[in-house]
Amino acid sequence: MPANKYSQRLQRGSDYRDRAAVLAHLGYRSYRGYLDSYLWATIRARVMKEKGPECYLCTGRATEVHHNRYGLDDMMGIKVDNLFPLCRACHRAIEFTGDRKNTMNKVRKRFQELAKKKVEDFPRLWPKFDRNSLKIL
């Protein structure tokens, strides 16, 4: 890949190919490796401290942090504008349709739609799912 396209991919962070390029650039073999890293632990703690422990979508207790973009600045924690604390139910609801992982465009669109609605009883709007396996029942 030409250097300018590679650097655009690192900055853009708009799809899973961009995320893969950023992960490789940072030296991670997988997204799971990144999520298990000290880097992510510090970024996650910072997001929870700065944005609060409340789910951005339903105001429940946030237990996870959602990447709304995977640019290099986002993945390194230089910027946290595109990182949001979420509860597990809301995170699952935007990331998956049934057992199928959504595309980044669909995830981003779903996140924006739900952020506009932001009501306290959101979890009642989601399909029922097993909280341990996160499978839709």
Side-chain angles (χ1 to χ4, degrees):
M1 178 181 299
N4 63 344
K5 284 196 178 209
Y6 179 73
S7 63
Q8 286 174 353
R9 189 170 287 285
L10 293 178
Q11 296 309 312
R12 189 174 54 221
S14 62
D15 61 31
Y16 293 119
R17 288 177 305 212
D18 294 347
R19 180 179 79 179
V22 170
L23 291 171
H25 181 79
L26 294 174
Y28 296 102
R29 293 181 146 192
S30 68
Y31 188 54
R32 171 55 40 208
Y34 169 78
L35 293 177
D36 291 339
S37 73
Y38 177 76
L39 172 63
W40 174 242
T42 58
I43 295 167
R44 185 183 181 285
R46 178 178 163 209
V47 169
M48 291 295 205
K49 182 178 180 183
E50 289 181 14
K51 297 189 176 187
E54 191 174 273
C55 177
Y56 186 79
L57 298 176
C58 75
T59 69
R61 185 175 154 267
T63 56
E64 303 177 7
V65 172
H66 169 67
H67 280 93
N68 214 27
R69 191 176 161 279
Y70 292 101
L72 185 59
D73 289 349
D74 305 294
M75 300 286 282
M76 290 179 64
I78 294 168
K79 291 185 345 185
V80 294
D81 304 4
N82 293 300
L83 300 172
F84 298 91
L86 296 179
C87 69
R88 186 173 229 176
C90 288
H91 203 188
R92 170 74 186 180
I94 63 170
E95 293 278 351
F96 291 87
T97 300
D99 288 338
R100 195 171 210 183
K101 179 91 167 116
N102 291 327
T103 64
M104 272 300 298
N105 284 338
K106 189 169 184 176
V107 169
R108 199 173 291 108
K109 183 178 177 186
R110 184 79 174 135
F111 179 84
Q112 289 168 349
E113 288 170 356
L114 297 176
K116 287 178 187 173
K117 293 179 183 175
K118 202 172 186 181
V119 293
E120 288 191 22
D121 64 347
F122 250 161
R124 292 188 301 170
L125 302 175
W126 304 138
K128 298 288 183 203
F129 67 94
D130 176 16
R131 291 190 180 272
N132 294 322
S133 68
L134 295 181
K135 299 260 186 210
I136 302 279
L137 302 175

